[in-house]
Amino acid sequence: MHSVRLTLASLATGVFLKLYPTRQLEGIRVVFTDLEIDRDVGITRLKESLHVLGETDRLKYRQVLRYVRTIYVWAGHYSSANPPESINLCSAHLMSSTQIELASVLVHEAVHLRIARQGIRYEERLQERIERRCIREQVSFLRKQGSKGVAMAAVFESALNSPWWTDEANQRDIERLVSDARMPRWMIPVMGGRRARKS
């Protein structure tokens, strides 16, 4: 019964997402669920970031094109992988990041998708190892980008000291999303979070 509910939810989500503006970029479907941003600018920034990636790291460029089939540009405050083959890209990151930083985010999330494709689940006991692997490949790309990339790589590596992958951090992210979007509190469990118990 659980699988039937998941299938129905997936179908409903698919139909709903078809209502949003969509573009194609190098075989990747880009869906703009944040309707407030300039989509022409957004798609240009994505194109430029993919160009930088392709010019400086062909292997990681090919991996992004292989594993990322859809990019959802959304108004959430973080970017994340959404296995099996899509990522949620924070619209603020898209519109304000440098080309190399944005390209490195695509690298990071593509590694998540590659790991998931190998049947490795994002379980609590593996989360830190998976994130360290994604960061390792992200900074490997950044270090090929000159002094700015090297400095950026150090920032991403230092972020490992503040674990964003824990269940508690995920709960905080969901709470913030619900609050920022002024969504009803009953949406928290739908998004994978826990509603606060009344004492």
Side-chain angles (χ1 to χ4, degrees), residues 28-127:
I28 299 173
R29 183 173 61 133
V30 182
V31 181
F32 290 90
T33 64
D34 183 349
L35 301 177
E36 301 298 316
I37 68 168
D38 186 321
R39 293 187 288 279
D40 290 333
V41 172
I43 206 74
T44 298
R45 292 181 61 79
L46 261 179
K47 184 176 182 179
E48 290 169 350
S49 295
L50 282 171
H51 177 74
V52 167
L53 183 57
E55 289 291 308
T56 58
D57 196 324
R58 292 298 294 177
L59 175 62
K60 289 181 173 55
Y61 170 77
R62 287 194 299 269
Q63 288 175 344
V64 167
L65 295 188
R66 178 179 178 186
Y67 293 104
V68 181
R69 306 305 326 140
T70 306
I71 295 174
Y72 295 103
V73 179
W74 75 317
H77 60 281
Y78 61 89
S79 297
S80 63
N82 187 22
E85 55 187 18
S86 65
I87 64 174
N88 299 321
L89 180 63
C90 170
S91 57
H93 291 167
L94 172 61
M95 301 306 278
S96 64
S97 296
T98 63
Q99 291 174 350
I100 61 172
E101 182 179 2
L102 184 55
S104 81
V105 170
L106 297 176
V107 168
H108 182 110
E109 303 307 341
V111 176
H112 273 293
L113 297 178
R114 190 178 82 216
I115 291 170
R117 185 87 60 91
Q118 294 168 354
I120 300 170
R121 296 172 60 89
Y122 194 74
E123 298 173 341
E124 187 174 2
R125 64 188 179 85
L126 297 174
Q127 288 170 347

Side-chain angles (χ1 to χ4, degrees), residues 172-187:
R172 286 193 300 272
D173 281 335
I174 292 171
E175 292 273 354
R176 179 175 168 186
L177 280 173
V178 169
S179 174
D180 288 354
R182 295 183 176 87
M183 297 164 66
R185 304 284 300 168
W186 60 262
M187 284 293 293

